[in-house]
Amino acid sequence: MSISSTINDQIKQAMLAKEKDRLAALRDIKAKLLLEATSGGGAEVSDETAIKICLKLYKQRIETYDLYVQQGRQDLADEELVQAKVIEEFLPKQLSEQEIQEEITQAMAHLGVNGPQDMGKLMGHLSAKLAGKADGKVISTLVKARLSAS
């Protein structure tokens, strides 16, 4: 079952259960998926594209949550966090820092990376391989630390 059809089913369930915050998050995902489908000319959005959209929405919710916490608006922060958790259900399991380090080690050996001058090559490879499984900022930080140490 595709992510789009799963979201449609969960929207129905959330409506029946009268889960307001869950419904809002699911409708937001569906709206972004429909927008992507109509802009691309296709009828259906691939699961890969759907995951990228969900990841972007998740990051936006977390950033908004942090902003509300800084401003002392816990009521709005809680709402954003609930919606972020709903969106997170549609994302693949995120890799731990240790797992990302292992991927970096393998990629360095595979690509023959020698130092900081090869960061672009390494980041391109890792970004493509770990898309949706790890945050780009985390990958970048770990790669910079590893290359500056070597």
Side-chain angles (χ1 to χ4, degrees):
M1 183 182 284
S2 73
I3 291 177
S4 297
S5 55
T6 303
I7 289 170
N8 287 333
D9 289 345
Q10 291 203 11
I11 286 174
K12 292 173 191 170
Q13 292 172 7
M15 289 171 77
L16 291 172
K18 296 183 170 114
E19 297 172 322
K20 186 183 82 161
D21 290 335
R22 182 171 182 77
L23 186 59
L26 292 169
R27 283 183 170 159
D28 191 26
I29 296 170
K30 184 175 180 179
K32 299 298 188 283
L33 292 176
L34 286 172
L35 186 65
E36 180 68 25
T38 56
S39 69
E44 184 83 14
V45 175
S46 70
D47 281 351
E48 184 178 308
T49 304
I51 288 172
K52 287 180 184 177
I53 291 170
C54 288
L55 187 59
K56 183 178 179 181
L57 290 171
Y58 177 75
K59 286 180 183 179
Q60 288 173 345
R61 290 293 193 288
I62 294 300
E63 288 171 3
T64 306
Y65 167 78
D66 292 338
L67 186 63
Y68 284 147
V69 168
Q70 289 172 2
Q71 295 175 350
R73 296 294 310 266
Q74 195 60 42
D75 55 330
L76 296 173
D78 292 340
E79 188 177 318
E80 290 294 323
L81 189 60
V82 167
Q83 290 189 16
K85 289 184 181 193
V86 171
I87 294 168
E88 189 177 26
E89 293 174 15
F90 299 98
L91 297 175
K93 179 189 166 285
Q94 297 293 296
L95 296 176
S96 69
E97 201 169 295
Q98 179 62 36
E99 291 169 320
I100 295 171
Q101 289 284 12
E102 291 170 9
E103 290 290 340
I104 292 171
T105 303
Q106 291 173 4
M108 287 176 72
H110 176 71
L111 299 171
V113 173
N114 297 321
Q117 71 274 11
D118 294 328
M119 182 166 175
K121 180 168 57 169
L122 184 58
M123 279 302 299
H125 175 79
L126 289 170
S127 295
K129 186 173 181 184
L130 304 179
K133 297 177 187 173
D135 185 31
K137 290 179 185 176
V138 174
I139 296 170
S140 177
T141 303
L142 294 174
V143 166
K144 283 179 189 173
R146 177 72 69 86
L147 290 179
S148 65
S150 57

